[in-house]
Amino acid sequence: TKTECNVGTLWRSAHCFGASFIFTIGARYKKQSSDTTAAWKSIPLYNYKTFEEFMERRPYDCRMFAVELDERAHDLKHFVHPDRAIYLLGAEDYGLSESVLSQCQGIIQINGAEDCLNVASAGSIVMYDRLSKSLNKETP
């Protein structure tokens, strides 16, 4: 992400929706200012300089999914979230590279989104979808 507001919004959403961590790759932001819930106290933020560095340190046994507008993508509405997952969100100005997409176990896109969403909005929607579907599994 290139702005501190996107990082702060994702951090707040991660805290609200029960994520274990968030991370950035090749951070282009200077500071973080929109985390008004102090999510940093509960959710770690990891920063990696390159995708390769992230791949060397990624959590064990986490399936990786790209969130991207792509003709190969599966609709989030029908997506079944695995117990352990990493969701990669591309930068708004250039998305995820083909080499990154090829290393993912799948590509998902937000149903109804015909244009690129703000990275913080897209990430928040995916986290909400994950939480909502997990709560629905628990309800008889």
Side-chain angles (χ1 to χ4, degrees):
T1 178
K2 63 183 178 182
T3 69
E4 67 275 0
C5 287
N6 281 340
V7 173
T9 299
L10 280 172
W11 219 341
R12 284 179 68 180
S13 294
H15 182 241
C16 290
F17 297 136
S20 298
F21 64 93
I22 65 171
F23 63 91
T24 61
I25 298 172
R28 298 187 287 169
Y29 56 92
K30 293 190 182 345
K31 62 181 176 115
Q32 193 292 305
S33 62
S34 60
D35 174 23
T36 60
T37 64
W40 56 269
K41 293 179 180 179
S42 303
I43 306 288
L45 166 63
Y46 301 100
N47 295 291
Y48 302 100
K49 291 182 181 173
T50 65
F51 183 73
E52 293 72 26
E53 180 186 5
F54 162 73
M55 290 297 285
E56 290 172 5
R57 292 173 173 82
R58 75 184 251 203
Y60 177 73
D61 194 34
C62 280
R63 295 178 65 200
M64 194 165 59
F65 297 92
V67 180
E68 189 76 26
L69 290 174
D70 189 286
E71 60 188 32
R72 300 166 291 181
H74 298 279
D75 196 330
L76 180 62
K77 181 178 179 180
H78 304 291
F79 182 70
V80 178
H81 298 271
D83 289 336
R84 294 173 50 84
I86 295 169
Y87 303 97
L88 293 177
L89 303 159
E92 296 165 44
D93 49 359
Y94 55 82
L96 295 169
S97 70
E98 191 58 43
S99 65
V100 168
L101 291 174
S102 70
Q103 296 184 64
C104 293
Q105 282 70 54
I107 305 170
I108 54 178
Q109 74 181 36
I110 298 167
N111 43 303
E114 295 179 14
D115 291 322
C116 176
L117 288 170
N118 168 286
V119 70
S121 298
S124 297
I125 290 168
V126 171
M127 286 187 278
Y128 172 78
D129 184 76
R130 179 183 175 85
L131 177 64
S132 176
K133 287 175 180 173
S134 73
L135 293 175
N136 286 336
K137 279 195 260 184
E138 298 170 7
T139 307

